[in-house]
Amino acid sequence: MKQLFIERLGHRGEGVSRDGDRRVFVPYALAGETVAAEIAGDHACLLEIIEPSPDRIAPICPCYTHCGGCAVQALASEAYAQWKRGLVEAALRNAGLSLDLGPLVDAHGAGRRRATFHARMDRGRARVGFMAARSHEIIEIDACPLLAPELAGALSAARALAQILAARGKPLDLWFTATLDGMDVDLRGAGPLEEHETGALIAAAERHDLARLSNHGRLVTLRRPPMIAVGAARVPLPPGAFLQATQAGEAAIAARVVEAATGARRVADLFCGVGAFALRLAENARVAAYDSAADAVEAMMAGARGATGLRPLEGAARDLFTRPLTAQELAPFDVVVFDPPRAGALAQAKELAQSKVNTVIAVSCSAQSFARDASILLSGGYSARNLTPIDQFRFSPHVEIVAVFSRETARGGAKRRLLG
């Protein structure tokens, strides 16, 4: 056991200390604290808080420090917001960028509308919950205070479904999504189902009032088509489809995207998913939307067909990592929105930097890949404004970013600012 002083919170929400010349990460410790910890390599297990931070508060969940779902739950709100906003500041600084960053926007709302539970089989019994921090150990939980009310029955349903497949001995992931029509569930890891398993799963879906149950995206039972609301549209959700984690998060991001596109006549929405932005943008502009997931694009178009008052919306399946829209293909658009996965949009950012598009709206779930893509756009002559960090993953190190890049501002004299 060693006594350590915590210098700061790291980018994963762990306390950062020093043991001689070695940097040590201490989960659940806060900046400014003196703690007793057991060191193993470059990580340590927190044993005792000797001198607590004045910013330490009581956590809201009894599973905190056991379940790995939350990294920073014992930090007072103001200090928490500073830390989370600082994650974006640090990523920009590390990329050599000095850009104005707005305050953190709280977009937790009613809670997470999607969650992935993990199941591991122990002598015929399914253990269901979340994984411990930096571990594959399952921490069984009965409830999670971060989930939206529509997922209140999710853990009970997850245990029932996993228990039916416990005899296989395979680890499972159970993807739950709250929809307008109830919970939508996609099982991952089971493989092809036997007839008796299918029957038992259908019965469990009935007992737990699931809207739909799928296995690796293949339908097991459909009781009600799961729909989500996107602007004026109702969109049929593909199994396991990507959604922003909270409804409040989607609304906060979309509001900024729509505002930045005000006055646009033609808009391209890249990495469009099921149309969280495209369907809203189509209320005022002609939109062309692209995503590699063909089922997501089809769902977006189905939502558009059922909505009234939309301008023309075109959708196409296209892998923008290997086939980004070229600068020539981007020429007809006065606004482009892109919201890539965590890896960012390296190839597409390079094409945008060579294009003459007036306004590019970047949405990102990774501060590091955002900083890289932003640097490419800035080097291509864009200037940045309205950088906003958005927190829909409360108590975690994940943060969303929305930013507007403009050639018009650049022509007006605003310059890229580099550190050093």
Side-chain angles (χ1 to χ4, degrees):
M1 182 177 73
K2 275 213 169 185
Q3 185 170 302
L4 299 172
F5 176 74
I6 307 301
E7 299 172 357
R8 59 184 174 86
L9 275 184
H11 71 279
R12 295 185 65 164
E14 299 168 326
V16 182
S17 183
R18 292 276 176 182
D19 179 33
D21 295 332
R22 179 174 53 177
R23 188 167 56 179
V24 178
F25 299 94
V26 188
Y28 312 117
L30 301 180
E33 293 186 329
T34 300
V35 304
E38 184 175 330
I39 300 174
D42 62 352
H43 283 79
C45 177
L46 179 63
L47 301 177
E48 180 187 357
I49 300 169
I50 299 171
E51 294 182 17
S53 164
D55 292 319
R56 178 171 286 276
I57 59 175
I60 66 169
C61 179
C63 295
Y64 182 60
T65 73
H66 302 290
C67 164
C70 292
V72 182
Q73 212 182 85
L75 185 60
S77 58
E78 184 175 345
Y80 168 82
Q82 291 174 352
W83 165 70
K84 202 149 202 184
R85 182 179 181 274
L87 296 176
V88 182
E89 287 182 316
L92 294 173
R93 185 170 57 250
N94 291 340
L97 303 179
S98 175
L99 301 173
D100 293 332
L101 183 66
L104 184 73
V105 174
D106 181 0
H108 179 72
R112 308 256 187 103
R113 61 177 172 177
R114 59 180 177 88
T116 301
F117 304 111
H118 307 292
R120 298 294 182 269
M121 311 312 165
D122 183 5
R123 290 171 288 187
R125 187 179 78 85
R127 301 176 63 245
V128 177
F130 294 125
M131 291 182 182
R134 294 184 177 271
S135 171
H136 293 290
E137 179 190 357
I138 296 294
I139 304 300
E140 295 184 85
I141 59 175
D142 295 320
C144 175
L146 297 186
L147 300 184
E150 294 83 358
L151 290 180
L155 278 158
S156 176
R159 280 192 292 270
L161 296 171
Q163 189 59 48
I164 291 168
L165 302 173
R168 289 174 168 248
K170 292 183 177 181
L172 297 176
D173 291 336
L174 301 97
W175 294 28
F176 277 72
T177 304
T179 76
L180 296 173
D181 305 280
M183 292 186 292
D184 182 35
V185 184
D186 191 29
L187 304 175
R188 305 289 177 94
L193 300 173
E194 300 290 342
E195 185 176 348
H196 72 278
E197 294 171 325
T198 299
L201 289 170
I202 291 173
E206 291 277 348
R207 289 195 306 274
H208 292 273
D209 195 29
L210 304 183
R212 179 178 61 190
L213 177 62
S214 306
N215 180 42
H216 294 268
R218 299 185 65 179
L219 184 65
V220 175
T221 183
L222 176 66
R223 302 180 63 244
R224 297 179 298 274
M227 309 287 284
I228 59 168
V230 180
R234 287 174 60 93
V235 177
L237 191 68
F242 171 80
L243 291 177
Q244 296 294 343
T246 69
Q247 287 185 311
E250 180 179 301
I253 297 168
R256 286 161 175 79
V257 169
V258 170
E259 180 181 6
T262 299
R265 292 176 296 175
R266 295 201 65 186
V267 179
D269 183 2
L270 312 181
F271 309 94
C272 65
V274 296
F277 308 139
L279 288 165
R280 291 176 167 97
L281 290 164
E283 295 178 16
N284 298 297
R286 183 171 180 173
V287 179
Y290 302 86
D291 197 280
S292 60
D295 58 351
V297 175
E298 291 171 6
M300 175 187 67
M301 296 308 296
R305 288 191 293 271
T308 59
L310 298 186
R311 304 284 180 88
L313 171 59
E314 302 172 5
R318 178 163 171 167
D319 186 342
L320 297 170
F321 292 106
T322 59
R323 291 182 57 227
L325 265 66
T326 65
Q328 183 176 357
E329 290 175 298
L330 292 166
F333 303 105
D334 43 347
V335 172
V336 172
V337 182
F338 72 101
D339 180 15
R342 187 164 297 277
L346 178 61
Q348 189 61 73
K350 290 179 178 178
E351 292 294 337
L352 283 164
Q354 297 178 42
S355 77
K356 296 182 179 180
V357 175
N358 286 335
T359 301
V360 174
I361 307 166
V363 180
S364 176
C365 61
S366 166
Q368 288 73 31
S369 63
F370 168 80
R372 180 203 64 203
D373 294 347
S375 183
I376 293 170
L377 293 174
L378 294 167
S379 295
Y382 285 94
S383 64
R385 56 186 170 88
N386 296 347
L387 270 74
T388 306
I390 296 177
D391 184 18
Q392 62 175 334
F393 290 96
R394 183 175 287 176
F395 304 138
S396 86
H398 301 300
V399 59
E400 303 283 335
I401 305 158
V402 182
V404 181
F405 296 85
S406 174
R407 288 202 183 280
E408 293 178 340
T409 303
R411 286 199 296 270
K415 297 179 180 179
R416 177 191 188 196
R417 285 175 288 159
L418 296 175
L419 293 175

